[in-house]
Amino acid sequence: LDEGEHYVLRADMPGFTKEDIHIDLEGDRLNLTAEHKEEAKEEDKENYLRRERRYDALSRSFDIEGIDAGRISASYDNGVLELSLPKLEEKKPEARKIEIK
């Protein structure tokens, strides 16, 4: 989502906690990974009555060329991860005179 001076990236990630999510930068790549393991069991004194295991994982990479990587911010609320990706300021070439030799 282009919001003028920055982009907004939203990812629905229900079932994950903030601690399950990792965001890393490698050059012009932003890597988003999440992993969640859960095990539930009900047992009596002699045998297992029920045992469930759940494992969820995801991984995405995004090209962030043209983004000011030092100012990226993230928040996570109610299963939605939101990243603010500020655009790099365009530097206009300085006006100067060229000497004729």
PDB file of all heavy atoms in Angstrom, residues 25-62:
ATOM      1  N   LEU A  25      17.075  -8.305   7.488  1.00  0.00           N
ATOM      2  CA  LEU A  25      17.481  -7.600   6.275  1.00  0.00           C
ATOM      3  C   LEU A  25      18.791  -8.179   5.782  1.00  0.00           C
ATOM      4  O   LEU A  25      19.725  -8.364   6.561  1.00  0.00           O
ATOM      5  CB  LEU A  25      17.670  -6.104   6.563  1.00  0.00           C
ATOM      6  CG  LEU A  25      16.423  -5.337   6.959  1.00  0.00           C
ATOM      7  CD1 LEU A  25      16.799  -3.941   7.409  1.00  0.00           C
ATOM      8  CD2 LEU A  25      15.452  -5.274   5.804  1.00  0.00           C
ATOM      9  N   GLU A  26      18.848  -8.457   4.483  1.00  0.00           N
ATOM     10  CA  GLU A  26      20.074  -8.920   3.831  1.00  0.00           C
ATOM     11  C   GLU A  26      20.222  -8.129   2.545  1.00  0.00           C
ATOM     12  O   GLU A  26      19.565  -8.452   1.547  1.00  0.00           O
ATOM     13  CB  GLU A  26      20.007 -10.412   3.525  1.00  0.00           C
ATOM     14  CG  GLU A  26      20.001 -11.299   4.749  1.00  0.00           C
ATOM     15  CD  GLU A  26      19.916 -12.776   4.392  1.00  0.00           C
ATOM     16  OE1 GLU A  26      20.277 -13.142   3.256  1.00  0.00           O
ATOM     17  OE2 GLU A  26      19.468 -13.552   5.242  1.00  0.00           O
ATOM     18  N   GLY A  27      21.027  -7.081   2.576  1.00  0.00           N
ATOM     19  CA  GLY A  27      21.166  -6.231   1.393  1.00  0.00           C
ATOM     20  C   GLY A  27      19.851  -5.554   1.069  1.00  0.00           C
ATOM     21  O   GLY A  27      19.251  -4.896   1.919  1.00  0.00           O
ATOM     22  N   ASP A  28      19.370  -5.730  -0.154  1.00  0.00           N
ATOM     23  CA  ASP A  28      18.087  -5.163  -0.578  1.00  0.00           C
ATOM     24  C   ASP A  28      16.947  -6.164  -0.437  1.00  0.00           C
ATOM     25  O   ASP A  28      15.960  -6.096  -1.160  1.00  0.00           O
ATOM     26  CB  ASP A  28      18.176  -4.684  -2.044  1.00  0.00           C
ATOM     27  CG  ASP A  28      18.923  -3.382  -2.165  1.00  0.00           C
ATOM     28  OD1 ASP A  28      19.044  -2.664  -1.147  1.00  0.00           O
ATOM     29  OD2 ASP A  28      19.380  -3.047  -3.268  1.00  0.00           O
ATOM     30  N   ARG A  29      17.076  -7.102   0.498  1.00  0.00           N
ATOM     31  CA  ARG A  29      16.049  -8.121   0.729  1.00  0.00           C
ATOM     32  C   ARG A  29      15.573  -8.071   2.170  1.00  0.00           C
ATOM     33  O   ARG A  29      16.368  -8.052   3.109  1.00  0.00           O
ATOM     34  CB  ARG A  29      16.634  -9.500   0.519  1.00  0.00           C
ATOM     35  CG  ARG A  29      16.608 -10.047  -0.832  1.00  0.00           C
ATOM     36  CD  ARG A  29      15.675 -10.889  -1.275  1.00  0.00           C
ATOM     37  NE  ARG A  29      15.017 -11.383  -2.331  1.00  0.00           N
ATOM     38  CZ  ARG A  29      14.068 -10.817  -3.039  1.00  0.00           C
ATOM     39  NH1 ARG A  29      13.694  -9.622  -2.836  1.00  0.00           N
ATOM     40  NH2 ARG A  29      13.446 -11.443  -3.979  1.00  0.00           N
ATOM     41  N   LEU A  30      14.256  -8.068   2.329  1.00  0.00           N
ATOM     42  CA  LEU A  30      13.653  -8.182   3.648  1.00  0.00           C
ATOM     43  C   LEU A  30      13.069  -9.585   3.735  1.00  0.00           C
ATOM     44  O   LEU A  30      12.285  -9.990   2.883  1.00  0.00           O
ATOM     45  CB  LEU A  30      12.543  -7.133   3.829  1.00  0.00           C
ATOM     46  CG  LEU A  30      11.865  -7.151   5.185  1.00  0.00           C
ATOM     47  CD1 LEU A  30      11.724  -5.716   5.685  1.00  0.00           C
ATOM     48  CD2 LEU A  30      10.506  -7.784   5.097  1.00  0.00           C
ATOM     49  N   ASN A  31      13.503 -10.343   4.735  1.00  0.00           N
ATOM     50  CA  ASN A  31      13.047 -11.719   4.920  1.00  0.00           C
ATOM     51  C   ASN A  31      12.148 -11.795   6.139  1.00  0.00           C
ATOM     52  O   ASN A  31      12.518 -11.368   7.234  1.00  0.00           O
ATOM     53  CB  ASN A  31      14.240 -12.667   5.099  1.00  0.00           C
ATOM     54  CG  ASN A  31      15.133 -12.668   3.887  1.00  0.00           C
ATOM     55  OD1 ASN A  31      14.665 -12.794   2.764  1.00  0.00           O
ATOM     56  ND2 ASN A  31      16.428 -12.511   4.099  1.00  0.00           N
ATOM     57  N   LEU A  32      10.974 -12.337   5.941  1.00  0.00           N
ATOM     58  CA  LEU A  32       9.974 -12.495   6.986  1.00  0.00           C
ATOM     59  C   LEU A  32       9.764 -13.990   7.201  1.00  0.00           C
ATOM     60  O   LEU A  32       9.414 -14.712   6.267  1.00  0.00           O
ATOM     61  CB  LEU A  32       8.673 -11.825   6.553  1.00  0.00           C
ATOM     62  CG  LEU A  32       7.430 -12.052   7.370  1.00  0.00           C
ATOM     63  CD1 LEU A  32       7.610 -11.500   8.772  1.00  0.00           C
ATOM     64  CD2 LEU A  32       6.243 -11.401   6.695  1.00  0.00           C
ATOM     65  N   THR A  33      10.021 -14.472   8.421  1.00  0.00           N
ATOM     66  CA  THR A  33       9.814 -15.886   8.733  1.00  0.00           C
ATOM     67  C   THR A  33       9.046 -15.996  10.049  1.00  0.00           C
ATOM     68  O   THR A  33       9.152 -15.130  10.919  1.00  0.00           O
ATOM     69  CB  THR A  33      11.151 -16.655   8.866  1.00  0.00           C
ATOM     70  OG1 THR A  33      11.952 -16.023   9.864  1.00  0.00           O
ATOM     71  CG2 THR A  33      11.907 -16.697   7.555  1.00  0.00           C
ATOM     72  N   ALA A  34       8.281 -17.055  10.169  1.00  0.00           N
ATOM     73  CA  ALA A  34       7.547 -17.318  11.404  1.00  0.00           C
ATOM     74  C   ALA A  34       7.434 -18.822  11.580  1.00  0.00           C
ATOM     75  O   ALA A  34       7.285 -19.563  10.608  1.00  0.00           O
ATOM     76  CB  ALA A  34       6.164 -16.683  11.354  1.00  0.00           C
ATOM     77  N   GLU A  35       7.513 -19.251  12.834  1.00  0.00           N
ATOM     78  CA  GLU A  35       7.428 -20.675  13.139  1.00  0.00           C
ATOM     79  C   GLU A  35       6.726 -20.835  14.480  1.00  0.00           C
ATOM     80  O   GLU A  35       7.020 -20.108  15.432  1.00  0.00           O
ATOM     81  CB  GLU A  35       8.839 -21.269  13.205  1.00  0.00           C
ATOM     82  CG  GLU A  35       8.877 -22.743  13.455  1.00  0.00           C
ATOM     83  CD  GLU A  35      10.296 -23.282  13.437  1.00  0.00           C
ATOM     84  OE1 GLU A  35      11.183 -22.664  14.047  1.00  0.00           O
ATOM     85  OE2 GLU A  35      10.495 -24.329  12.821  1.00  0.00           O
ATOM     86  N   HIS A  36       5.794 -21.771  14.537  1.00  0.00           N
ATOM     87  CA  HIS A  36       5.032 -22.007  15.761  1.00  0.00           C
ATOM     88  C   HIS A  36       4.826 -23.506  15.941  1.00  0.00           C
ATOM     89  O   HIS A  36       4.358 -24.179  15.040  1.00  0.00           O
ATOM     90  CB  HIS A  36       3.669 -21.303  15.678  1.00  0.00           C
ATOM     91  CG  HIS A  36       2.806 -21.530  16.868  1.00  0.00           C
ATOM     92  ND1 HIS A  36       3.037 -20.904  18.064  1.00  0.00           N
ATOM     93  CD2 HIS A  36       1.728 -22.324  17.051  1.00  0.00           C
ATOM     94  CE1 HIS A  36       2.119 -21.297  18.935  1.00  0.00           C
ATOM     95  NE2 HIS A  36       1.315 -22.153  18.354  1.00  0.00           N
ATOM     96  N   LYS A  37       5.193 -23.994  17.114  1.00  0.00           N
ATOM     97  CA  LYS A  37       4.981 -25.405  17.463  1.00  0.00           C
ATOM     98  C   LYS A  37       4.078 -25.452  18.682  1.00  0.00           C
ATOM     99  O   LYS A  37       4.217 -24.659  19.601  1.00  0.00           O
ATOM    100  CB  LYS A  37       6.304 -26.084  17.800  1.00  0.00           C
ATOM    101  CG  LYS A  37       7.277 -26.161  16.656  1.00  0.00           C
ATOM    102  CD  LYS A  37       8.572 -26.788  17.105  1.00  0.00           C
ATOM    103  CE  LYS A  37       9.578 -26.765  15.977  1.00  0.00           C
ATOM    104  NZ  LYS A  37      10.882 -27.283  16.385  1.00  0.00           N
ATOM    105  N   GLU A  38       3.173 -26.406  18.654  1.00  0.00           N
ATOM    106  CA  GLU A  38       2.247 -26.546  19.767  1.00  0.00           C
ATOM    107  C   GLU A  38       1.964 -28.028  19.995  1.00  0.00           C
ATOM    108  O   GLU A  38       1.777 -28.779  19.052  1.00  0.00           O
ATOM    109  CB  GLU A  38       0.943 -25.812  19.431  1.00  0.00           C
ATOM    110  CG  GLU A  38      -0.051 -25.764  20.536  1.00  0.00           C
ATOM    111  CD  GLU A  38      -1.268 -24.958  20.134  1.00  0.00           C
ATOM    112  OE1 GLU A  38      -1.126 -23.934  19.452  1.00  0.00           O
ATOM    113  OE2 GLU A  38      -2.379 -25.395  20.493  1.00  0.00           O
ATOM    114  N   GLU A  39       1.954 -28.425  21.248  1.00  0.00           N
ATOM    115  CA  GLU A  39       1.625 -29.809  21.575  1.00  0.00           C
ATOM    116  C   GLU A  39       0.655 -29.807  22.746  1.00  0.00           C
ATOM    117  O   GLU A  39       0.856 -29.113  23.741  1.00  0.00           O
ATOM    118  CB  GLU A  39       2.888 -30.589  21.959  1.00  0.00           C
ATOM    119  CG  GLU A  39       2.624 -32.042  22.212  1.00  0.00           C
ATOM    120  CD  GLU A  39       3.907 -32.842  22.411  1.00  0.00           C
ATOM    121  OE1 GLU A  39       4.904 -32.562  21.737  1.00  0.00           O
ATOM    122  OE2 GLU A  39       3.868 -33.748  23.260  1.00  0.00           O
ATOM    123  N   ALA A  40      -0.409 -30.539  22.598  1.00  0.00           N
ATOM    124  CA  ALA A  40      -1.406 -30.663  23.662  1.00  0.00           C
ATOM    125  C   ALA A  40      -1.646 -32.139  23.917  1.00  0.00           C
ATOM    126  O   ALA A  40      -1.730 -32.931  22.993  1.00  0.00           O
ATOM    127  CB  ALA A  40      -2.702 -29.977  23.252  1.00  0.00           C
ATOM    128  N   LYS A  41      -1.734 -32.478  25.188  1.00  0.00           N
ATOM    129  CA  LYS A  41      -2.044 -33.875  25.510  1.00  0.00           C
ATOM    130  C   LYS A  41      -2.876 -33.933  26.778  1.00  0.00           C
ATOM    131  O   LYS A  41      -2.740 -33.128  27.686  1.00  0.00           O
ATOM    132  CB  LYS A  41      -0.785 -34.711  25.633  1.00  0.00           C
ATOM    133  CG  LYS A  41       0.170 -34.277  26.718  1.00  0.00           C
ATOM    134  CD  LYS A  41       1.411 -35.137  26.711  1.00  0.00           C
ATOM    135  CE  LYS A  41       2.432 -34.582  27.705  1.00  0.00           C
ATOM    136  NZ  LYS A  41       3.659 -35.346  27.724  1.00  0.00           N
ATOM    137  N   GLU A  42      -3.756 -34.893  26.766  1.00  0.00           N
ATOM    138  CA  GLU A  42      -4.548 -35.224  27.944  1.00  0.00           C
ATOM    139  C   GLU A  42      -4.224 -36.668  28.270  1.00  0.00           C
ATOM    140  O   GLU A  42      -4.244 -37.529  27.393  1.00  0.00           O
ATOM    141  CB  GLU A  42      -6.041 -35.079  27.639  1.00  0.00           C
ATOM    142  CG  GLU A  42      -6.495 -33.672  27.385  1.00  0.00           C
ATOM    143  CD  GLU A  42      -7.974 -33.603  27.044  1.00  0.00           C
ATOM    144  OE1 GLU A  42      -8.704 -34.576  27.315  1.00  0.00           O
ATOM    145  OE2 GLU A  42      -8.384 -32.581  26.496  1.00  0.00           O
ATOM    146  N   GLU A  43      -3.898 -36.907  29.511  1.00  0.00           N
ATOM    147  CA  GLU A  43      -3.518 -38.279  29.853  1.00  0.00           C
ATOM    148  C   GLU A  43      -4.106 -38.689  31.195  1.00  0.00           C
ATOM    149  O   GLU A  43      -4.448 -37.861  32.026  1.00  0.00           O
ATOM    150  CB  GLU A  43      -1.994 -38.407  29.876  1.00  0.00           C
ATOM    151  CG  GLU A  43      -1.310 -37.465  30.836  1.00  0.00           C
ATOM    152  CD  GLU A  43       0.194 -37.581  30.770  1.00  0.00           C
ATOM    153  OE1 GLU A  43       0.720 -38.491  31.430  1.00  0.00           O
ATOM    154  OE2 GLU A  43       0.813 -36.769  30.066  1.00  0.00           O
ATOM    155  N   ASP A  44      -4.204 -39.983  31.347  1.00  0.00           N
ATOM    156  CA  ASP A  44      -4.571 -40.504  32.657  1.00  0.00           C
ATOM    157  C   ASP A  44      -3.307 -41.107  33.256  1.00  0.00           C
ATOM    158  O   ASP A  44      -2.219 -40.934  32.741  1.00  0.00           O
ATOM    159  CB  ASP A  44      -5.728 -41.498  32.552  1.00  0.00           C
ATOM    160  CG  ASP A  44      -5.379 -42.735  31.734  1.00  0.00           C
ATOM    161  OD1 ASP A  44      -4.183 -42.946  31.448  1.00  0.00           O
ATOM    162  OD2 ASP A  44      -6.293 -43.490  31.394  1.00  0.00           O
ATOM    163  N   LYS A  45      -3.413 -41.853  34.305  1.00  0.00           N
ATOM    164  CA  LYS A  45      -2.231 -42.385  34.979  1.00  0.00           C
ATOM    165  C   LYS A  45      -1.521 -43.483  34.198  1.00  0.00           C
ATOM    166  O   LYS A  45      -0.350 -43.708  34.377  1.00  0.00           O
ATOM    167  CB  LYS A  45      -2.612 -42.889  36.373  1.00  0.00           C
ATOM    168  CG  LYS A  45      -3.051 -41.772  37.286  1.00  0.00           C
ATOM    169  CD  LYS A  45      -3.425 -42.306  38.636  1.00  0.00           C
ATOM    170  CE  LYS A  45      -3.892 -41.142  39.514  1.00  0.00           C
ATOM    171  NZ  LYS A  45      -4.300 -41.555  40.826  1.00  0.00           N
ATOM    172  N   GLU A  46      -2.228 -44.169  33.314  1.00  0.00           N
ATOM    173  CA  GLU A  46      -1.626 -45.303  32.635  1.00  0.00           C
ATOM    174  C   GLU A  46      -1.415 -45.097  31.148  1.00  0.00           C
ATOM    175  O   GLU A  46      -0.425 -45.561  30.598  1.00  0.00           O
ATOM    176  CB  GLU A  46      -2.494 -46.548  32.859  1.00  0.00           C
ATOM    177  CG  GLU A  46      -2.561 -46.944  34.315  1.00  0.00           C
ATOM    178  CD  GLU A  46      -3.474 -48.119  34.535  1.00  0.00           C
ATOM    179  OE1 GLU A  46      -3.713 -48.886  33.587  1.00  0.00           O
ATOM    180  OE2 GLU A  46      -3.954 -48.277  35.661  1.00  0.00           O
ATOM    181  N   ASN A  47      -2.331 -44.442  30.459  1.00  0.00           N
ATOM    182  CA  ASN A  47      -2.254 -44.325  29.008  1.00  0.00           C
ATOM    183  C   ASN A  47      -2.538 -42.897  28.570  1.00  0.00           C
ATOM    184  O   ASN A  47      -3.184 -42.132  29.266  1.00  0.00           O
ATOM    185  CB  ASN A  47      -3.286 -45.235  28.333  1.00  0.00           C
ATOM    186  CG  ASN A  47      -3.045 -46.685  28.636  1.00  0.00           C
ATOM    187  OD1 ASN A  47      -1.909 -47.137  28.599  1.00  0.00           O
ATOM    188  ND2 ASN A  47      -4.091 -47.404  28.976  1.00  0.00           N
ATOM    189  N   TYR A  48      -2.070 -42.592  27.357  1.00  0.00           N
ATOM    190  CA  TYR A  48      -2.457 -41.323  26.753  1.00  0.00           C
ATOM    191  C   TYR A  48      -3.876 -41.438  26.232  1.00  0.00           C
ATOM    192  O   TYR A  48      -4.219 -42.404  25.570  1.00  0.00           O
ATOM    193  CB  TYR A  48      -1.541 -40.964  25.564  1.00  0.00           C
ATOM    194  CG  TYR A  48      -0.193 -40.488  25.969  1.00  0.00           C
ATOM    195  CD1 TYR A  48       0.930 -41.272  25.778  1.00  0.00           C
ATOM    196  CD2 TYR A  48      -0.028 -39.232  26.535  1.00  0.00           C
ATOM    197  CE1 TYR A  48       2.183 -40.841  26.159  1.00  0.00           C
ATOM    198  CE2 TYR A  48       1.221 -38.786  26.910  1.00  0.00           C
ATOM    199  CZ  TYR A  48       2.330 -39.589  26.724  1.00  0.00           C
ATOM    200  OH  TYR A  48       3.560 -39.156  27.094  1.00  0.00           O
ATOM    201  N   LEU A  49      -4.693 -40.488  26.516  1.00  0.00           N
ATOM    202  CA  LEU A  49      -6.038 -40.475  25.961  1.00  0.00           C
ATOM    203  C   LEU A  49      -6.061 -39.707  24.646  1.00  0.00           C
ATOM    204  O   LEU A  49      -6.735 -40.092  23.711  1.00  0.00           O
ATOM    205  CB  LEU A  49      -7.027 -39.828  26.939  1.00  0.00           C
ATOM    206  CG  LEU A  49      -7.254 -40.560  28.239  1.00  0.00           C
ATOM    207  CD1 LEU A  49      -8.197 -39.771  29.130  1.00  0.00           C
ATOM    208  CD2 LEU A  49      -7.855 -41.933  27.956  1.00  0.00           C
ATOM    209  N   ARG A  50      -5.318 -38.612  24.606  1.00  0.00           N
ATOM    210  CA  ARG A  50      -5.311 -37.790  23.395  1.00  0.00           C
ATOM    211  C   ARG A  50      -4.001 -37.018  23.333  1.00  0.00           C
ATOM    212  O   ARG A  50      -3.510 -36.506  24.330  1.00  0.00           O
ATOM    213  CB  ARG A  50      -6.467 -36.798  23.424  1.00  0.00           C
ATOM    214  CG  ARG A  50      -6.573 -35.955  22.176  1.00  0.00           C
ATOM    215  CD  ARG A  50      -7.725 -34.999  22.309  1.00  0.00           C
ATOM    216  NE  ARG A  50      -7.363 -33.973  23.279  1.00  0.00           N
ATOM    217  CZ  ARG A  50      -7.485 -32.691  23.071  1.00  0.00           C
ATOM    218  NH1 ARG A  50      -8.004 -32.253  21.953  1.00  0.00           N
ATOM    219  NH2 ARG A  50      -7.127 -31.822  23.988  1.00  0.00           N
ATOM    220  N   ARG A  51      -3.434 -36.919  22.134  1.00  0.00           N
ATOM    221  CA  ARG A  51      -2.206 -36.159  21.925  1.00  0.00           C
ATOM    222  C   ARG A  51      -2.289 -35.483  20.569  1.00  0.00           C
ATOM    223  O   ARG A  51      -2.532 -36.148  19.563  1.00  0.00           O
ATOM    224  CB  ARG A  51      -1.003 -37.082  21.986  1.00  0.00           C
ATOM    225  CG  ARG A  51       0.299 -36.354  21.889  1.00  0.00           C
ATOM    226  CD  ARG A  51       1.446 -37.309  22.031  1.00  0.00           C
ATOM    227  NE  ARG A  51       2.558 -36.612  22.630  1.00  0.00           N
ATOM    228  CZ  ARG A  51       3.600 -37.183  23.137  1.00  0.00           C
ATOM    229  NH1 ARG A  51       3.683 -38.496  23.162  1.00  0.00           N
ATOM    230  NH2 ARG A  51       4.580 -36.487  23.639  1.00  0.00           N
ATOM    231  N   GLU A  52      -2.115 -34.180  20.557  1.00  0.00           N
ATOM    232  CA  GLU A  52      -2.165 -33.412  19.311  1.00  0.00           C
ATOM    233  C   GLU A  52      -0.897 -32.585  19.162  1.00  0.00           C
ATOM    234  O   GLU A  52      -0.407 -32.027  20.134  1.00  0.00           O
ATOM    235  CB  GLU A  52      -3.364 -32.454  19.305  1.00  0.00           C
ATOM    236  CG  GLU A  52      -4.690 -33.144  19.296  1.00  0.00           C
ATOM    237  CD  GLU A  52      -5.849 -32.159  19.291  1.00  0.00           C
ATOM    238  OE1 GLU A  52      -5.614 -30.950  19.108  1.00  0.00           O
ATOM    239  OE2 GLU A  52      -6.976 -32.604  19.468  1.00  0.00           O
ATOM    240  N   ARG A  53      -0.415 -32.519  17.948  1.00  0.00           N
ATOM    241  CA  ARG A  53       0.748 -31.688  17.637  1.00  0.00           C
ATOM    242  C   ARG A  53       0.406 -30.803  16.453  1.00  0.00           C
ATOM    243  O   ARG A  53      -0.243 -31.247  15.515  1.00  0.00           O
ATOM    244  CB  ARG A  53       1.950 -32.554  17.283  1.00  0.00           C
ATOM    245  CG  ARG A  53       2.473 -33.319  18.429  1.00  0.00           C
ATOM    246  CD  ARG A  53       3.691 -34.084  18.035  1.00  0.00           C
ATOM    247  NE  ARG A  53       4.132 -34.902  19.156  1.00  0.00           N
ATOM    248  CZ  ARG A  53       4.738 -36.049  19.040  1.00  0.00           C
ATOM    249  NH1 ARG A  53       5.010 -36.540  17.861  1.00  0.00           N
ATOM    250  NH2 ARG A  53       5.108 -36.714  20.097  1.00  0.00           N
ATOM    251  N   ARG A  54       0.857 -29.576  16.527  1.00  0.00           N
ATOM    252  CA  ARG A  54       0.613 -28.645  15.436  1.00  0.00           C
ATOM    253  C   ARG A  54       1.895 -27.879  15.160  1.00  0.00           C
ATOM    254  O   ARG A  54       2.591 -27.457  16.087  1.00  0.00           O
ATOM    255  CB  ARG A  54      -0.501 -27.667  15.823  1.00  0.00           C
ATOM    256  CG  ARG A  54      -0.971 -26.838  14.653  1.00  0.00           C
ATOM    257  CD  ARG A  54      -2.066 -25.919  15.104  1.00  0.00           C
ATOM    258  NE  ARG A  54      -1.447 -24.602  15.203  1.00  0.00           N
ATOM    259  CZ  ARG A  54      -2.068 -23.517  15.582  1.00  0.00           C
ATOM    260  NH1 ARG A  54      -3.318 -23.568  15.954  1.00  0.00           N
ATOM    261  NH2 ARG A  54      -1.456 -22.372  15.631  1.00  0.00           N
ATOM    262  N   TYR A  55       2.191 -27.718  13.879  1.00  0.00           N
ATOM    263  CA  TYR A  55       3.386 -26.986  13.476  1.00  0.00           C
ATOM    264  C   TYR A  55       3.004 -26.092  12.306  1.00  0.00           C
ATOM    265  O   TYR A  55       2.441 -26.561  11.318  1.00  0.00           O
ATOM    266  CB  TYR A  55       4.490 -27.966  13.059  1.00  0.00           C
ATOM    267  CG  TYR A  55       5.719 -27.289  12.517  1.00  0.00           C
ATOM    268  CD1 TYR A  55       6.656 -26.735  13.375  1.00  0.00           C
ATOM    269  CD2 TYR A  55       5.935 -27.202  11.157  1.00  0.00           C
ATOM    270  CE1 TYR A  55       7.780 -26.106  12.888  1.00  0.00           C
ATOM    271  CE2 TYR A  55       7.057 -26.578  10.657  1.00  0.00           C
ATOM    272  CZ  TYR A  55       7.979 -26.028  11.521  1.00  0.00           C
ATOM    273  OH  TYR A  55       9.082 -25.401  11.031  1.00  0.00           O
ATOM    274  N   ASP A  56       3.272 -24.814  12.430  1.00  0.00           N
ATOM    275  CA  ASP A  56       3.020 -23.864  11.348  1.00  0.00           C
ATOM    276  C   ASP A  56       4.306 -23.107  11.067  1.00  0.00           C
ATOM    277  O   ASP A  56       5.027 -22.723  11.997  1.00  0.00           O
ATOM    278  CB  ASP A  56       1.944 -22.840  11.745  1.00  0.00           C
ATOM    279  CG  ASP A  56       0.581 -23.464  11.945  1.00  0.00           C
ATOM    280  OD1 ASP A  56       0.216 -24.320  11.124  1.00  0.00           O
ATOM    281  OD2 ASP A  56      -0.102 -23.104  12.920  1.00  0.00           O
ATOM    282  N   ALA A  57       4.568 -22.861   9.787  1.00  0.00           N
ATOM    283  CA  ALA A  57       5.749 -22.078   9.411  1.00  0.00           C
ATOM    284  C   ALA A  57       5.455 -21.342   8.116  1.00  0.00           C
ATOM    285  O   ALA A  57       4.674 -21.806   7.278  1.00  0.00           O
ATOM    286  CB  ALA A  57       6.965 -22.987   9.232  1.00  0.00           C
ATOM    287  N   LEU A  58       6.079 -20.180   7.984  1.00  0.00           N
ATOM    288  CA  LEU A  58       5.980 -19.458   6.726  1.00  0.00           C
ATOM    289  C   LEU A  58       7.247 -18.659   6.522  1.00  0.00           C
ATOM    290  O   LEU A  58       7.965 -18.337   7.461  1.00  0.00           O
ATOM    291  CB  LEU A  58       4.740 -18.557   6.672  1.00  0.00           C
ATOM    292  CG  LEU A  58       4.649 -17.357   7.587  1.00  0.00           C
ATOM    293  CD1 LEU A  58       5.326 -16.145   6.977  1.00  0.00           C
ATOM    294  CD2 LEU A  58       3.190 -17.025   7.806  1.00  0.00           C
ATOM    295  N   SER A  59       7.508 -18.353   5.268  1.00  0.00           N
ATOM    296  CA  SER A  59       8.686 -17.583   4.908  1.00  0.00           C
ATOM    297  C   SER A  59       8.378 -16.791   3.642  1.00  0.00           C
ATOM    298  O   SER A  59       7.851 -17.352   2.677  1.00  0.00           O
ATOM    299  CB  SER A  59       9.868 -18.532   4.666  1.00  0.00           C
ATOM    300  OG  SER A  59      10.987 -17.801   4.244  1.00  0.00           O
ATOM    301  N   ARG A  60       8.678 -15.510   3.662  1.00  0.00           N
ATOM    302  CA  ARG A  60       8.494 -14.641   2.507  1.00  0.00           C
ATOM    303  C   ARG A  60       9.688 -13.702   2.408  1.00  0.00           C
ATOM    304  O   ARG A  60      10.253 -13.302   3.422  1.00  0.00           O
ATOM    305  CB  ARG A  60       7.226 -13.785   2.627  1.00  0.00           C
ATOM    306  CG  ARG A  60       5.937 -14.551   2.745  1.00  0.00           C
ATOM    307  CD  ARG A  60       5.521 -15.175   1.399  1.00  0.00           C
ATOM    308  NE  ARG A  60       4.250 -15.831   1.501  1.00  0.00           N
ATOM    309  CZ  ARG A  60       4.045 -17.076   1.858  1.00  0.00           C
ATOM    310  NH1 ARG A  60       5.056 -17.835   2.188  1.00  0.00           N
ATOM    311  NH2 ARG A  60       2.846 -17.597   1.896  1.00  0.00           N
ATOM    312  N   SER A  61      10.031 -13.331   1.185  1.00  0.00           N
ATOM    313  CA  SER A  61      11.098 -12.363   0.947  1.00  0.00           C
ATOM    314  C   SER A  61      10.560 -11.246   0.072  1.00  0.00           C
ATOM    315  O   SER A  61       9.760 -11.493  -0.835  1.00  0.00           O
ATOM    316  CB  SER A  61      12.290 -13.024   0.248  1.00  0.00           C
ATOM    317  OG  SER A  61      12.910 -13.933   1.111  1.00  0.00           O
ATOM    318  N   PHE A  62      11.027 -10.025   0.353  1.00  0.00           N
ATOM    319  CA  PHE A  62      10.573  -8.858  -0.389  1.00  0.00           C
ATOM    320  C   PHE A  62      11.776  -8.024  -0.815  1.00  0.00           C
ATOM    321  O   PHE A  62      12.718  -7.848  -0.040  1.00  0.00           O
ATOM    322  CB  PHE A  62       9.643  -7.991   0.470  1.00  0.00           C
ATOM    323  CG  PHE A  62       8.441  -8.721   0.980  1.00  0.00           C
ATOM    324  CD1 PHE A  62       8.450  -9.336   2.218  1.00  0.00           C
ATOM    325  CD2 PHE A  62       7.301  -8.811   0.207  1.00  0.00           C
ATOM    326  CE1 PHE A  62       7.338 -10.020   2.694  1.00  0.00           C
ATOM    327  CE2 PHE A  62       6.183  -9.505   0.663  1.00  0.00           C
ATOM    328  CZ  PHE A  62       6.212 -10.101   1.904  1.00  0.00           C
TER     329      PHE A  62
END
